[in-house]
């Protein structure tokens, strides 16, 4: 049982411990991409030229902010969210992608989800904050068959890494790869207190695929504080017999849609 005392004192602490972001992306087994570092990169001169859309810090998109464009690619800088960057990384369709988080603590029960959006041209000219452009390509919620059922709690047991595979038949072009943890530790009395930790990386998928992404979901849009199936719930009530459904709909891949 968690009493009210640790919850109150956590709220008073600086937002450092227990939060995180993706610091590096490994493509295949040999290629590493350094992602945006919100603590070291802003000071650099000349400015860094990374594929990650800039976010403010390691804290979550929470307190209802996830119904705004902060949810698309995390809270930006200087009051502006979701600012495109000017570069992409070439990644072959079908690649294995490993997201390396900063040291991720185990006190954020919830799902881990990864989405793709087609930039319909250049990502530097694409927002992603409007339209049903986000297609989920990977998710893990509560898996009762695992010794640590919540996906975000398994993360510390696997070196804070999460691995996904890009669809192999997808058409070449520029895409945003959006990877995210949702922490449900405070959502039992108020769905607005859900904590989303998204980041967006702009990639150019290469190869000879011909499949285009189907219609997906809107971010902002589909994540709502009153969603009692995925967000506004008591995570301790989830079990093998009371399964959990991550927000954002089903997963799409080479074999179409699956749940
Ligand atoms: C839920 O949390 C939000 C964000 O902090 C707050 O604005 C709202 O008043 C809360 N609602 C209730 C019913 O406590
Ligand atoms: C991208 O390039 C444009 C035009 O060269 C420039 O105005 C903008 O500041 C650049 N954005 C970033 C994030 O570097
Ligand atoms: C975690 O990292 C350590 C040190 O690099 C390595 O020895 C270990 O095999 C890794 N474990 C997993 C599960 O990847
Ligand atoms: Cu946190």
């Amino acid at each position: 049982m968690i009493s009210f005392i640790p919850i109150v004192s956590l709220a008073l602490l600086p937002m450092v411990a227990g939060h995180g972001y993706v610091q590096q992306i490994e493509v295949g087994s040999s290629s590493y991409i350094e992602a945006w570092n919100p603590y070291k990169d802003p000071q650099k001169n000349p400015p860094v030229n990374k594929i990650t859309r800039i976010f403010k810090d390691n804290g979550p998109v929470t307190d209802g902010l996830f119904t705004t464009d902060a949810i698309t690619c995390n809270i930006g800088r200087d009051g502006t969210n979701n600012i495109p960057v000017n570069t992409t990384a070439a990644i072959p369709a079908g690649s294995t992608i490993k997201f390396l988080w900063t040291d991720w603590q185990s006190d954020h029960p919830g799902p881990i989800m990864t989405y793709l959006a087609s930039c319909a041209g250049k990502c530097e000219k694409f927002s992603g904050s409007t339209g049903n452009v986000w297609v989920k390509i990977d998710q893990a919620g509560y898996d009762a068959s695992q010794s640590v059922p919540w996906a975000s709690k398994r993360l510390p047991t696997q070196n804070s890494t999460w691995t996904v595979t890009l669809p192999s038949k997808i058409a070449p072009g520029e895409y945003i790869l959006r990877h995210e943890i949702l922490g449900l530790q405070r959502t039992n009395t108020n769905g607005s207190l859900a904590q989303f930790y998204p980041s967006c990386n702009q990639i150019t998928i290469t190869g000879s695929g011909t499949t285009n992404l189907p219609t997906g979901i809107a971010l902002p849009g589909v994540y709502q504080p009153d969603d009692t199936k995925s967000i506004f719930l008591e995570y301790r009530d989830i079990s093998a017999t009371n399964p959990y459904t991550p927000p954002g709909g089903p997963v799409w891949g080479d074999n179409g849609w699956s749940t």
Side-chain angles (χ1 to χ4, degrees):
M1 285 300 283
I2 295 181
S3 71
F4 279 106
I5 292 159
I7 293 172
V8 169
S9 42
L10 272 179
L12 298 172
L13 284 172
M15 306 278 272
V16 178
H19 301 304
Y21 59 92
V22 172
Q23 54 182 330
Q24 194 182 63
I25 297 160
E26 185 180 343
V27 182
S29 55
S30 56
S31 165
Y32 298 87
I33 299 167
E34 294 302 323
W36 169 251
N37 181 317
Y39 300 102
K40 293 186 175 155
D41 287 346
Q43 299 86 317
K44 288 194 178 147
N45 199 357
V48 299
N49 191 28
K50 291 183 169 178
I51 67 168
T52 318
R53 290 196 171 177
I54 289 166
F55 54 87
K56 183 166 70 85
D57 59 25
N58 65 0
V61 181
T62 186
D63 289 5
L65 270 181
F66 58 84
T67 60
T68 73
D69 68 354
I71 195 61
T72 311
C73 292
N74 209 329
I75 300 169
R77 263 198 326 203
D78 306 326
T80 309
N81 299 322
N82 194 22
I83 305 161
V85 289
N86 284 342
T87 187
T88 67
I91 300 184
S95 291
T96 299
I97 309 232
K98 199 190 257 186
F99 297 99
L100 173 61
W101 286 78
T102 52
D103 185 26
W104 183 258
Q105 306 297 312
S106 60
D107 56 356
H108 294 64
I112 299 182
M113 302 170 282
T114 306
Y115 296 83
L116 270 181
S118 166
C119 294
K122 291 283 194 189
C123 286
E124 66 184 64
K125 298 209 158 61
F126 176 74
S127 143
S129 286
T130 55
N132 295 323
V133 296
W134 296 100
V135 176
K136 199 188 274 169
I137 60 163
D138 184 80
Q139 73 178 355
Y142 183 93
D143 180 352
S145 74
Q146 304 261 3
S147 58
V148 182
W150 284 109
S152 65
K153 290 193 156 211
R154 280 204 301 285
L155 200 59
T157 72
Q158 48 196 41
N159 279 353
S160 302
T161 62
W162 195 264
T163 303
V164 306
T165 305
L166 287 184
S168 60
K169 300 171 191 160
I170 195 159
E174 295 196 8
Y175 293 84
I176 300 178
L177 181 62
R178 181 182 178 282
H179 179 66
E180 168 179 66
I181 293 174
L182 161 57
L184 296 169
Q185 68 273 21
R186 303 194 301 164
T187 58
N188 56 337
T189 58
N190 187 338
S192 289
L193 303 181
Q195 296 192 341
F196 292 88
Y197 297 83
S199 64
C200 290
N201 286 283
Q202 297 183 179
I203 63 173
T204 298
I205 295 181
T206 62
S208 53
T210 53
T211 305
N212 292 311
L213 287 179
T215 300
I217 55 137
L219 293 170
V222 90
Y223 293 174
Q224 291 296 330
D226 61 357
D227 176 354
T228 53
K229 193 167 55 108
S230 306
I231 293 176
F232 184 15
L233 51 81
E234 168 58 76
Y235 76 88
R236 297 179 197 85
D237 291 345
I238 302 295
S239 67
T241 52
N242 180 32
Y244 174 71
T245 307
V251 170
W252 179 86
D254 286 327
N255 300 315
W257 293 100
S258 57
T259 46

